[in-house]
PDB file of all heavy atoms in Angstrom:
ATOM      1  N   THR Y  11      88.423  94.124 126.051  1.00  0.00           N
ATOM      2  CA  THR Y  11      87.729  93.553 124.905  1.00  0.00           C
ATOM      3  C   THR Y  11      88.735  93.214 123.813  1.00  0.00           C
ATOM      4  O   THR Y  11      89.831  93.767 123.768  1.00  0.00           O
ATOM      5  CB  THR Y  11      86.683  94.547 124.340  1.00  0.00           C
ATOM      6  OG1 THR Y  11      87.366  95.732 123.949  1.00  0.00           O
ATOM      7  CG2 THR Y  11      85.617  94.861 125.359  1.00  0.00           C
ATOM      8  N   GLU Y  12      88.367  92.286 122.939  1.00  0.00           N
ATOM      9  CA  GLU Y  12      89.224  91.880 121.828  1.00  0.00           C
ATOM     10  C   GLU Y  12      89.402  93.056 120.870  1.00  0.00           C
ATOM     11  O   GLU Y  12      88.451  93.748 120.530  1.00  0.00           O
ATOM     12  CB  GLU Y  12      88.585  90.700 121.100  1.00  0.00           C
ATOM     13  CG  GLU Y  12      89.462  90.085 120.064  1.00  0.00           C
ATOM     14  CD  GLU Y  12      90.733  89.463 120.618  1.00  0.00           C
ATOM     15  OE1 GLU Y  12      90.723  88.986 121.763  1.00  0.00           O
ATOM     16  OE2 GLU Y  12      91.733  89.473 119.899  1.00  0.00           O
ATOM     17  N   LEU Y  13      90.630  93.267 120.417  1.00  0.00           N
ATOM     18  CA  LEU Y  13      90.913  94.351 119.481  1.00  0.00           C
ATOM     19  C   LEU Y  13      90.504  93.949 118.070  1.00  0.00           C
ATOM     20  O   LEU Y  13      90.662  92.794 117.670  1.00  0.00           O
ATOM     21  CB  LEU Y  13      92.404  94.685 119.500  1.00  0.00           C
ATOM     22  CG  LEU Y  13      92.972  95.252 120.801  1.00  0.00           C
ATOM     23  CD1 LEU Y  13      94.478  95.389 120.699  1.00  0.00           C
ATOM     24  CD2 LEU Y  13      92.335  96.576 121.140  1.00  0.00           C
ATOM     25  N   THR Y  14      90.032  94.906 117.305  1.00  0.00           N
ATOM     26  CA  THR Y  14      89.688  94.668 115.901  1.00  0.00           C
ATOM     27  C   THR Y  14      90.966  94.546 115.068  1.00  0.00           C
ATOM     28  O   THR Y  14      92.053  94.904 115.520  1.00  0.00           O
ATOM     29  CB  THR Y  14      88.847  95.830 115.339  1.00  0.00           C
ATOM     30  OG1 THR Y  14      89.643  97.021 115.385  1.00  0.00           O
ATOM     31  CG2 THR Y  14      87.547  96.013 116.103  1.00  0.00           C
ATOM     32  N   VAL Y  15      90.815  94.055 113.843  1.00  0.00           N
ATOM     33  CA  VAL Y  15      91.948  93.977 112.915  1.00  0.00           C
ATOM     34  C   VAL Y  15      92.574  95.356 112.757  1.00  0.00           C
ATOM     35  O   VAL Y  15      93.804  95.511 112.785  1.00  0.00           O
ATOM     36  CB  VAL Y  15      91.483  93.442 111.539  1.00  0.00           C
ATOM     37  CG1 VAL Y  15      92.562  93.609 110.478  1.00  0.00           C
ATOM     38  CG2 VAL Y  15      91.060  91.994 111.648  1.00  0.00           C
ATOM     39  N   GLN Y  16      91.723  96.368 112.602  1.00  0.00           N
ATOM     40  CA  GLN Y  16      92.227  97.722 112.400  1.00  0.00           C
ATOM     41  C   GLN Y  16      93.017  98.211 113.622  1.00  0.00           C
ATOM     42  O   GLN Y  16      94.081  98.812 113.482  1.00  0.00           O
ATOM     43  CB  GLN Y  16      91.079  98.691 112.090  1.00  0.00           C
ATOM     44  CG  GLN Y  16      90.402  98.421 110.769  1.00  0.00           C
ATOM     45  CD  GLN Y  16      89.251  97.406 110.874  1.00  0.00           C
ATOM     46  OE1 GLN Y  16      89.163  96.609 111.800  1.00  0.00           O
ATOM     47  NE2 GLN Y  16      88.372  97.438 109.890  1.00  0.00           N
ATOM     48  N   ALA Y  17      92.507  97.948 114.832  1.00  0.00           N
ATOM     49  CA  ALA Y  17      93.198  98.384 116.050  1.00  0.00           C
ATOM     50  C   ALA Y  17      94.539  97.666 116.195  1.00  0.00           C
ATOM     51  O   ALA Y  17      95.553  98.292 116.529  1.00  0.00           O
ATOM     52  CB  ALA Y  17      92.319  98.133 117.271  1.00  0.00           C
ATOM     53  N   ARG Y  18      94.560  96.364 115.934  1.00  0.00           N
ATOM     54  CA  ARG Y  18      95.825  95.616 116.008  1.00  0.00           C
ATOM     55  C   ARG Y  18      96.819  96.148 114.972  1.00  0.00           C
ATOM     56  O   ARG Y  18      98.006  96.297 115.255  1.00  0.00           O
ATOM     57  CB  ARG Y  18      95.580  94.119 115.809  1.00  0.00           C
ATOM     58  CG  ARG Y  18      94.932  93.443 117.003  1.00  0.00           C
ATOM     59  CD  ARG Y  18      94.976  91.923 116.916  1.00  0.00           C
ATOM     60  NE  ARG Y  18      94.540  91.370 115.649  1.00  0.00           N
ATOM     61  CZ  ARG Y  18      93.275  91.056 115.353  1.00  0.00           C
ATOM     62  NH1 ARG Y  18      92.318  91.257 116.231  1.00  0.00           N
ATOM     63  NH2 ARG Y  18      92.981  90.534 114.168  1.00  0.00           N
ATOM     64  N   SER Y  19      96.323  96.439 113.777  1.00  0.00           N
ATOM     65  CA  SER Y  19      97.194  96.983 112.734  1.00  0.00           C
ATOM     66  C   SER Y  19      97.730  98.353 113.127  1.00  0.00           C
ATOM     67  O   SER Y  19      98.916  98.641 112.916  1.00  0.00           O
ATOM     68  CB  SER Y  19      96.444  97.078 111.405  1.00  0.00           C
ATOM     69  OG  SER Y  19      96.143  95.791 110.934  1.00  0.00           O
ATOM     70  N   ALA Y  20      96.876  99.193 113.679  1.00  0.00           N
ATOM     71  CA  ALA Y  20      97.316 100.523 114.119  1.00  0.00           C
ATOM     72  C   ALA Y  20      98.407 100.404 115.169  1.00  0.00           C
ATOM     73  O   ALA Y  20      99.416 101.131 115.115  1.00  0.00           O
ATOM     74  CB  ALA Y  20      96.127 101.323 114.648  1.00  0.00           C
ATOM     75  N   LEU Y  21      98.252  99.474 116.112  1.00  0.00           N
ATOM     76  CA  LEU Y  21      99.272  99.275 117.143  1.00  0.00           C
ATOM     77  C   LEU Y  21     100.583  98.765 116.537  1.00  0.00           C
ATOM     78  O   LEU Y  21     101.668  99.221 116.922  1.00  0.00           O
ATOM     79  CB  LEU Y  21      98.769  98.313 118.216  1.00  0.00           C
ATOM     80  CG  LEU Y  21      97.752  98.906 119.184  1.00  0.00           C
ATOM     81  CD1 LEU Y  21      97.050  97.806 119.974  1.00  0.00           C
ATOM     82  CD2 LEU Y  21      98.424  99.905 120.118  1.00  0.00           C
ATOM     83  N   THR Y  22     100.501  97.855 115.589  1.00  0.00           N
ATOM     84  CA  THR Y  22     101.708  97.340 114.929  1.00  0.00           C
ATOM     85  C   THR Y  22     102.409  98.451 114.164  1.00  0.00           C
ATOM     86  O   THR Y  22     103.637  98.611 114.258  1.00  0.00           O
ATOM     87  CB  THR Y  22     101.349  96.177 113.983  1.00  0.00           C
ATOM     88  OG1 THR Y  22     100.793  95.114 114.755  1.00  0.00           O
ATOM     89  CG2 THR Y  22     102.570  95.687 113.216  1.00  0.00           C
ATOM     90  N   LEU Y  23     101.639  99.215 113.402  1.00  0.00           N
ATOM     91  CA  LEU Y  23     102.233 100.314 112.639  1.00  0.00           C
ATOM     92  C   LEU Y  23     102.896 101.331 113.568  1.00  0.00           C
ATOM     93  O   LEU Y  23     104.007 101.797 113.302  1.00  0.00           O
ATOM     94  CB  LEU Y  23     101.172 100.975 111.758  1.00  0.00           C
ATOM     95  CG  LEU Y  23     100.730 100.140 110.559  1.00  0.00           C
ATOM     96  CD1 LEU Y  23      99.406 100.662 109.995  1.00  0.00           C
ATOM     97  CD2 LEU Y  23     101.809 100.119 109.482  1.00  0.00           C
ATOM     98  N   ALA Y  24     102.221 101.671 114.658  1.00  0.00           N
ATOM     99  CA  ALA Y  24     102.790 102.624 115.623  1.00  0.00           C
ATOM    100  C   ALA Y  24     104.087 102.076 116.213  1.00  0.00           C
ATOM    101  O   ALA Y  24     105.069 102.811 116.364  1.00  0.00           O
ATOM    102  CB  ALA Y  24     101.779 102.939 116.714  1.00  0.00           C
TER     103      ALA Y  24
END
Side-chain angles (χ1 to χ4, degrees):
T11 60
E12 188 64 31
L13 295 174
T14 63
V15 169
Q16 294 88 339
R18 287 193 311 272
S19 293
L21 285 165
T22 298
L23 288 163

